[in-house]
């Protein structure tokens, strides 16, 4: 009996599973710890697959790591903030980031197959973490960024991983890189330069502004050339607000990002901004309806 208790303790430490689950696993596998770990993982997979259609992992952590001239940014998701802020989850994110940075995979599928020093793949780590933490988790995305010796990384983690921002700057210095990184993080610009705005986006906004202008009786009385200038100005005002170089600096609003780049003889090579859960449609439960349903079920 003492041997079984010791095995249960060992299995709990390695998987984080409950005591009764560990006991069941050991009894089902003739007290073989490794086989029991596999058994628990398989049970976790089955349970996860069953609930996957109704569970959404839109919380989590965005992380980044830098090693010399290479950086890796990752987003790992959980169902709740409670788990996202837990030490085991953050340890998982850190390990995933380390594995990605070390192995330099090209695709998400390839990344999930990369292994740590113990021979566990990222996919395996997620299965184990699901068993341990009891939530759906997802390694959503990653990007690996390389720079040259004469380029600089700017990096910033906002709110303990709600947003991870990385830029590559050619010229300038670390202070300039940091200042611009804060702008990217805070304002989430759609474009770096005005020339990056696609022609179809400009055309669409022009049509919107034309239609809006025609609602103004005084606009129709103006000459055609003046109308064109007004519309062009309104289009530029809307679109240039989403251009990084036209933004006032967060740390010094007396100048724009573009002015800082020019006076520092610097140029932006790349920007990366990961915000946790962006683009994921979060589940919104009707709490009142849920309470009513449970009350009616009890009648």
């Amino acid at each position: 009996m003492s041997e079984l208790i010791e095995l249960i303790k060992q299995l709990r430490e390695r998987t984080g599973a409950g005591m009764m689950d560990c006991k069941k696993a050991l009894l089902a596998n003739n007290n073989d710890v490794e086989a029991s770990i596999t058994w628990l993982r398989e049970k976790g997979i089955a349970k996860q697959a069953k609930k996957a259609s109704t569970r959404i992992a839109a919380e989590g952590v965005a992380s980044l790591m830098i090693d010399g001239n290479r950086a890796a940014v990752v987003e790992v998701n959980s169902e709740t903030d409670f788990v996202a802020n837990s030490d085991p989850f953050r340890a998982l994110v850190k390990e995933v980031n380390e594995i990605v940075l070390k192995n330099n995979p090209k695709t998400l599928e390839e990344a999930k197959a990369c292994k740590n020093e113990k021979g566990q793949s990222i996919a395996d780590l997620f299965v184990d973490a699901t068993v341990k933490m009891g939530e759906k988790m997802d390694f959503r995305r990653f990007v690996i960024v390389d720079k040259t010796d004469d380029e600089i990384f700017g990096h910033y983690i906002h709110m303990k991983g709600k947003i991870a921002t990385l830029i590559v700057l050619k010229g300038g210095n670390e202070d300039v890189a940091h200042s611009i990184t804060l702008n990217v993080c805070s304002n989430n610009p759609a474009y770096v330069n005005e020339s990056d705005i696609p022609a179809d986006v400009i055309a669409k906004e022009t049509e919107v502004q034309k239609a809006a202008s025609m609602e103004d009786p005084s606009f129709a009385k103006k000459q055609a050339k003046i109308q064109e200038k007004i519309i062009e100005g309104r289009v530029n005002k809307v679109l240039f607000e989403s251009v990084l170089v036209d933004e006032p600096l967060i740390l010094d609003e007396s100048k724009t990002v573009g002015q800082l780049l020019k006076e520092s003889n610097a140029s932006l090579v790349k920007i990366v901004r990961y915000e946790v859960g962006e683009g994921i449609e979060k589940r919104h439960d009707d709490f009142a309806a849920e309470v009513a349903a449970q009350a009616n079920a009890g009648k």
Side-chain angles (χ1 to χ4, degrees), residues 134-183:
E135 280 198 7
K136 178 180 179 180
M137 296 174 198
D138 182 33
F139 177 22
R140 185 186 181 196
R141 55 180 172 166
F142 77 94
V143 63
I144 293 173
V145 179
D146 291 305
K147 73 173 185 67
T148 59
D149 289 337
D150 63 341
E151 294 173 340
I152 301 169
F153 280 132
H155 56 93
Y156 179 67
I157 298 290
H158 182 61
M159 291 181 65
K160 297 182 179 180
K162 286 298 182 183
I163 303 173
T165 306
L166 178 79
I167 74 165
V168 177
L169 188 69
K170 192 174 186 67
N173 55 47
E174 291 185 358
D175 288 339
V176 173
H178 178 66
S179 181
I180 295 172
T181 303
L182 292 181
N183 266 73

Side-chain angles (χ1 to χ4, degrees), residues 208-217 219-220 227 230-231 234:
V208 169
Q209 292 303 326
K210 278 182 179 179
S213 297
M214 294 309 294
E215 296 295 320
D216 180 3
F219 178 82
Q227 288 182 348
I230 292 173
I231 291 170
R234 290 174 178 175

Side-chain angles (χ1 to χ4, degrees), residues 2-146:
S2 60
E3 181 185 355
L4 178 60
I5 292 174
E6 184 60 34
L7 290 174
I8 290 173
K9 181 182 177 183
Q10 185 182 147
L11 192 57
R12 286 192 70 186
E13 288 175 350
R14 292 186 61 180
T15 66
M19 185 175 70
M20 293 308 297
D21 286 333
C22 289
K23 184 177 180 180
K24 288 178 184 178
L26 288 164
L27 291 175
N29 293 280
N30 298 316
N31 289 346
D32 185 322
V33 173
E34 296 300 328
S36 297
I37 291 173
T38 301
W39 188 87
L40 284 169
R41 287 178 54 206
E42 288 173 348
K43 294 297 181 182
I45 293 172
K47 184 178 180 182
Q48 190 71 7
K50 185 178 180 180
K51 295 183 178 181
S53 61
T54 60
R55 293 163 66 170
I56 299 172
E59 305 300 334
V61 172
S63 172
L64 67 84
M65 287 185 179
I66 297 172
D67 183 14
N69 283 344
R70 175 166 292 164
V73 188
V74 304
E75 180 185 350
V76 179
N77 300 109
S78 61
E79 292 181 56
T80 65
D81 260 339
F82 178 78
V83 165
N85 288 316
S86 68
D87 290 340
F89 184 82
R90 288 185 175 268
L92 172 66
V93 175
K94 181 182 178 184
E95 187 165 12
V96 168
N97 212 156
E98 288 173 343
I99 294 171
V100 168
L101 184 58
K102 180 180 179 181
N103 288 274
N104 194 25
K106 304 302 182 214
T107 66
L108 190 58
E109 183 179 1
E110 185 181 326
K112 289 180 179 180
C114 292
K115 298 180 178 181
N116 62 13
E117 293 179 354
K118 297 178 181 178
Q120 294 174 293
S121 69
I122 287 179
D124 290 338
L125 292 174
F126 271 78
V127 174
D128 290 343
T130 297
V131 172
K132 186 173 183 178
M133 288 180 264
E135 280 198 7
K136 178 180 179 180
M137 296 174 198
D138 182 33
F139 177 22
R140 185 186 181 196
R141 55 180 172 166
F142 77 94
V143 63
I144 293 173
V145 179
D146 291 305

Side-chain angles (χ1 to χ4, degrees), residues 275-295:
E275 182 170 352
V276 171
E278 59 187 346
I280 299 176
E281 185 176 350
K282 297 186 179 183
R283 177 176 174 174
H284 298 284
D285 294 324
D286 188 334
F287 183 68
E290 183 181 340
V291 171
Q294 290 183 2

